[in-house]
Amino acid sequence: MAVLMALAAFATACGGGSDPIGEKPPAGDKSVSGANAGTGVGSGKPKGGKADFDTVFNIEDRIRQALPDVGAMKGWKPKTGRANIEEQPKSAAECGPDTHWDCSRIVNGSVKFEAAGENAYFDLQAYADKKAAEAACSKEKDWSAEYAKAEVAPVPGVEGHAYYRNAGGLDGLDLVMCLGTVIAEVRLEDGGGSSLDPATVHSLVQLFVPRIQKAAAVS
């Protein structure tokens, strides 16, 4: 995989630390029981551009533009930033029906920020086309169904669902969205002082989605 070092421009460290977004549930992971993931689909027109785009996020600038930077995250300290381009991405046929939902991705980009005892992760999984992204979205929804539903207000026009999940021994609130050729995820994680407030996640998502839409619209 090729690492896009340009992300270091808005992160103080690249590649270090844990990145719980998109990983399979760790052995012994205890989630809150009894509920399926999901917060439905918003209505109305999204701000910033189309949620249903055909743009492929396979170039450095597009990934960098989509992920929040220090200018967008006022009051948050940047911690890590990275992107990996799959040199030999797998097709849906190669992945098969039973593999993890990110198997056929062509790019994975993520950034992490921290503030006041909580961490915010932004993750972007890019696929070769909308069909591949839709298949991955379906797998992700099945994968995350074991976790407890979280009530996070959806972004208008964007399909998404939210849930509480413990990863690496840390509690977090994850919101996953399917937009065109990508799966975007925001995770708010308790770093020693977070209440995992759904309103905070919603505000972070409102920042993230327009950046993705704007990056998709750039020719």
Side-chain angles (χ1 to χ4, degrees):
M1 289 182 285
V3 181
L4 304 184
M5 298 307 293
L7 292 181
F10 56 86
T12 57
C14 286
S18 62
D19 182 3
I21 296 179
E23 68 179 10
K24 297 179 183 180
D29 182 26
K30 295 180 180 179
S31 58
V32 183
S33 61
N36 290 332
T39 60
V41 181
S43 59
K45 267 191 172 181
K47 295 179 180 179
K50 294 181 179 179
D52 185 24
F53 49 78
D54 295 298
T55 307
V56 180
F57 280 65
N58 59 351
I59 58 175
E60 179 177 339
D61 281 350
R62 205 177 300 280
I63 299 295
R64 180 165 47 83
Q65 290 167 14
L67 292 169
D69 56 19
V70 291
M73 294 291 288
K74 301 293 186 183
W76 293 78
K77 182 180 179 181
K79 297 299 293 182
T80 62
R82 67 181 183 221
N84 297 323
I85 295 180
E86 302 288 348
E87 293 179 350
Q88 295 181 319
K90 295 181 179 179
S91 66
E94 289 176 299
C95 287
D98 300 322
T99 54
H100 191 48
W101 57 271
D102 62 3
C103 175
S104 64
R105 72 188 184 190
I106 60 172
V107 176
N108 167 232
S110 64
V111 289
K112 173 187 176 182
F113 295 85
E114 68 175 21
E118 58 188 2
N119 301 315
Y121 294 85
F122 298 86
D123 186 79
L124 196 68
Q125 306 278 348
Y127 295 85
D129 51 41
K130 287 197 295 185
K131 184 178 180 180
E134 288 167 1
C137 283
S138 179
K139 285 185 178 182
E140 191 284 328
K141 192 170 184 179
D142 290 341
W143 172 83
S144 61
E146 68 178 88
Y147 297 109
K149 175 182 176 181
E151 296 294 342
V152 177
V155 175
V158 178
E159 180 182 354
H161 61 280
Y163 50 90
Y164 295 101
R165 179 169 68 94
N166 180 284
L170 296 173
D171 293 324
L173 197 172
D174 300 69
L175 191 146
V176 179
M177 299 166 292
C178 300
L179 298 88
T181 60
V182 305
I183 297 177
E185 182 170 0
V186 171
R187 175 175 171 85
L188 185 66
E189 189 173 81
D190 183 9
S194 175
S195 62
L196 301 182
D197 186 359
T200 300
V201 174
H202 182 61
S203 67
L204 295 173
V205 168
Q206 286 184 303
L207 179 155
F208 195 16
V209 169
R211 292 182 68 93
I212 297 169
Q213 294 169 329
K214 185 176 179 179
V218 175
S219 59

